[in-house]
Amino acid sequence: MLVGEIMKNKGVGVIAVAPDQTMLEVLRLFRDNNIGFVVVSQSNDEYLGSLSERDCCNAVAEYGAEAAMMRVADVMNRNVATCSTGDLLPSVMGIMTQRRTRHVLVLDGGDVVGVVSIGDVVKHRLDEAQRTEQDLQDYICGTRYH
């Protein structure tokens, strides 16, 4: 399956924050939207980096309680894992494994169109396994095959 197909099913778009927002503001955004990853951007057509729950945890471990009031720009990841809408899902899984990340930014011609998360990968693989199981069941029972 292509990443673009996952984006069609999931929907395109990302939640972005400004680099001057505080980590506390972003953590509240995470909570309110039930997410764990945002793009850091000055404008709609450019991204500067990303911020994940792991980045926040690392900042707290390093800076203590003062991390909550730090600017996103001081904590964000500037080396964001990316893929394109034309990449195959196993390629994205490889990126996640190699980079030890749960989120990969999806680009289409240089434009940010979404994020593929480990949850999206698991959902796709689970759906695929269920389809295969149903196909095997149908084959064994002789249904849907003429």
Side-chain angles (χ1 to χ4, degrees):
M1 173 173 269
L2 295 175
V3 171
E5 293 173 46
I6 291 175
M7 290 291 95
K8 285 179 191 172
N9 295 335
K10 177 181 179 174
V12 295
V14 295
I15 295 179
V17 298
D20 60 344
Q21 286 184 258
T22 66
M23 214 171 64
L24 183 59
E25 291 172 315
V26 175
L27 288 169
R28 288 182 175 142
L29 183 72
F30 284 173
R31 180 198 60 206
D32 295 345
N33 290 280
N34 197 27
I35 59 172
F37 180 90
V38 292
V39 172
V40 182
S41 175
Q42 288 277 25
S43 63
N44 289 340
D45 59 350
E46 157 186 49
Y47 72 93
L48 304 172
S50 67
L51 189 70
S52 69
E53 291 170 320
R54 181 179 290 169
D55 297 326
C56 295
C57 288
N58 289 340
V60 170
E62 186 169 342
Y63 301 107
E66 65 190 53
M69 296 315 293
M70 291 177 71
R71 293 176 339 118
V72 167
D74 298 327
V75 181
M76 72 181 187
N77 175 9
R78 287 174 166 72
N79 186 19
V80 182
T82 63
C83 68
S84 78
T85 54
D87 286 341
L88 293 170
L89 191 57
S91 172
V92 175
M93 293 166 63
I95 291 169
M96 288 178 171
T97 302
Q98 181 182 21
R99 299 279 303 270
R100 297 187 54 81
T101 185
R102 295 178 181 101
H103 303 89
V104 177
L105 202 57
V106 181
L107 305 176
D108 186 16
D111 296 327
V112 175
V113 295
V115 175
V116 173
S117 71
I118 191 71
D120 299 326
V121 171
V122 170
K123 180 186 181 317
H124 170 74
R125 299 300 271 182
L126 180 60
D127 291 346
E128 188 177 69
Q130 289 172 333
R131 280 190 306 273
T132 299
E133 181 181 342
Q134 185 62 52
D135 288 346
L136 289 171
Q137 185 77 12
D138 291 345
Y139 178 75
I140 291 166
C141 295
T143 56
R144 290 189 351 185
Y145 291 93
H146 297 47

